[in-house]
Amino acid sequence: MQHIIAQAGPVPLPDRVVAALARRFFVPESTVFHFSAKKRVIGQTSVTLSTQSPFRFDGSTEVTPGVLHVAFLLNGRMGIRIGGGPVRTLRPISGYTVPGWDDMTLESTEMTRGLAIQVPQSRLAERGVRVRSDHQPIDDSGSLSLPLRLFALSIVDTAWSPSGVGTLMVERTIEDLVVGLLLESDGYAMDSEDLRTGLRVRARTQIDAQHRDPDLTPATLAAHLGVSLRHLQRAFEGSGITVAHEIARARAESAAVLLTMPHSTGLTIADVAARAGYSSTFELRAGFKARYAMLPSEFRSDRLVPTGERNSAPRDA
């Protein structure tokens, strides 16, 4: 390793980060390694766009456990080898799912540019995606590959200044696109043995579409899907969630969107409850606090305070 110049936007990375890079990256003699990255965190998901000059990377990096990385090589070519396996050549616009950057070798002889989308594996499992423990290529011909890349690139654009409701909607959209992409790719799509998972996916789709109806219950949902209530409940066994939990989640998320709309102060708590599918304000408060650990009024107050004032205000203001 000769030299490293690493930047994230206009601000240099901390020395400890540069030192960590130096221990794992190797660059050609008498050259300077250039690395730049832009990262946007949206709720529990994030998107990173990076550019790097020729390098070789050996070893592993410290990554957040339980996160699936959906990575795309946008420009250049790169060789990748997992463990003692064969070397694969990544070309534009090839994609890969990476559950962890362990025991890996990456090498490129030209400038490369990559896009990485990080999504909690627990959220994918809840949506019916079989999260694999190995690294897998993504079918470039998938119908959702291009929309996902374009949407992710627009998120890291510094010109985008997200609002509260914008952040919630973008996080949901990123998750939907990743789920759809993986389900249409080999190795992640459900097979005939995953009927219970398939029923969970169908149930969640209906919940997302119908949760604003206060009459939606596990029983009415089962009837709509054409199965018995017990059959529907069994489909959720072992997943860590229940049908009622999914309905409550969808209503709480809808309420959160309504509370963070720019002109939401014109809506009363009763208005929000009715529009999100709750039968009463009491039910809204209980369901919302279970999801976000605060009351709807507190959530609204926190989101509507301008960022500068929020950072300078006392915690109990």
Side-chain angles (χ1 to χ4, degrees):
M1 170 70 72
Q2 298 300 314
H3 304 282
I4 290 181
I5 294 178
Q7 292 187 324
V11 182
L13 291 171
D15 290 342
R16 61 179 179 80
V17 176
V18 175
L21 288 171
R23 288 194 298 270
R24 298 180 175 91
F25 279 87
F26 300 86
V27 299
E29 293 290 335
S30 303
T31 63
V32 176
F33 176 65
H34 294 271
F35 172 83
S36 64
K38 292 190 295 183
K39 183 175 183 178
R40 177 88 69 171
V41 178
I42 318 101
Q44 297 184 66
T45 67
S46 64
V47 178
T48 303
L49 177 66
S50 63
T51 303
Q52 47 276 321
S53 57
F55 72 97
R56 189 180 86 247
F57 167 82
D58 290 317
S60 63
T61 59
E62 295 80 9
V63 296
T64 304
V67 173
L68 182 71
H69 301 255
V70 180
F72 295 97
L73 186 66
L74 302 180
N75 300 104
R77 294 186 179 222
M78 183 180 298
I80 178 173
R81 177 164 56 193
I82 311 300
V87 176
R88 297 174 181 264
T89 299
L90 302 183
R91 300 176 176 83
I93 301 282
S94 58
Y96 232 75
T97 57
V98 185
W101 302 96
D102 299 321
D103 193 19
M104 175 187 293
T105 298
L106 296 171
E107 187 167 9
S108 173
T109 58
E110 58 186 302
M111 186 73 73
T112 52
R113 187 165 174 255
L115 179 70
I117 303 157
Q118 298 84 33
V119 182
Q121 293 187 22
S122 59
R123 291 294 298 149
L124 299 177
E126 289 178 8
R127 299 288 300 273
V129 176
R130 181 191 293 111
V131 179
R132 300 183 56 161
S133 60
D134 53 348
H135 307 70
Q136 288 291 320
I138 296 174
D139 184 2
D140 295 344
S141 64
S143 62
L144 292 175
S145 181
L146 177 59
L148 175 59
R149 291 199 306 271
L150 295 179
F151 189 67
L153 284 171
S154 70
I155 291 171
V156 294
D157 192 322
T158 54
W160 180 53
S161 179
S163 62
V165 65
T167 298
L168 289 169
M169 297 305 293
V170 164
E171 181 181 15
R172 182 181 300 179
T173 302
I174 279 284
E175 182 182 302
D176 286 344
L177 288 171
V178 169
V179 167
L181 176 68
L182 296 182
L183 288 180
E184 71 180 5
S185 300
D186 290 339
Y188 286 90
M190 296 174 293
D191 56 33
S192 59
E193 296 180 0
D194 292 321
L195 295 178
R196 292 203 308 173
T197 302
L199 181 55
R200 283 205 307 273
V201 173
R202 290 173 53 210
R204 195 179 191 280
T205 300
Q206 289 301 320
I207 289 170
D208 285 341
Q210 300 179 10
H211 66 269
R212 297 176 186 84
D213 180 357
D215 293 328
L216 180 67
T217 65
T220 60
L221 176 63
H224 181 85
L225 294 171
V227 299
S228 68
L229 176 59
R230 181 61 190 135
H231 187 64
L232 179 60
Q233 291 172 332
R234 278 199 299 268
F236 280 81
E237 290 177 356
S239 68
I241 54 176
T242 65
V243 186
H245 173 274
E246 280 294 274
I247 295 175
R249 171 202 58 76
R251 285 174 175 159
E253 289 180 358
S254 282
V257 170
L258 291 169
L259 290 166
T260 53
M261 290 173 60
H263 305 293
S264 70
T265 51
L267 295 176
T268 66
I269 296 300
D271 291 333
V272 173
R275 296 187 184 191
Y278 293 100
S279 58
S280 67
T281 55
F282 174 80
E283 185 180 322
L284 164 63
R285 291 188 181 96
F288 199 89
K289 190 167 186 179
R291 178 71 175 175
Y292 294 102
M294 65 175 69
L295 293 172
S297 56
E298 297 170 330
F299 185 88
R300 167 188 274 169
S301 176
D302 181 65
R303 296 308 188 277
L304 294 182
V305 173
T307 303
E309 296 180 19
R310 186 185 309 152
N311 292 339
S312 61
R315 288 288 295 174
D316 59 349

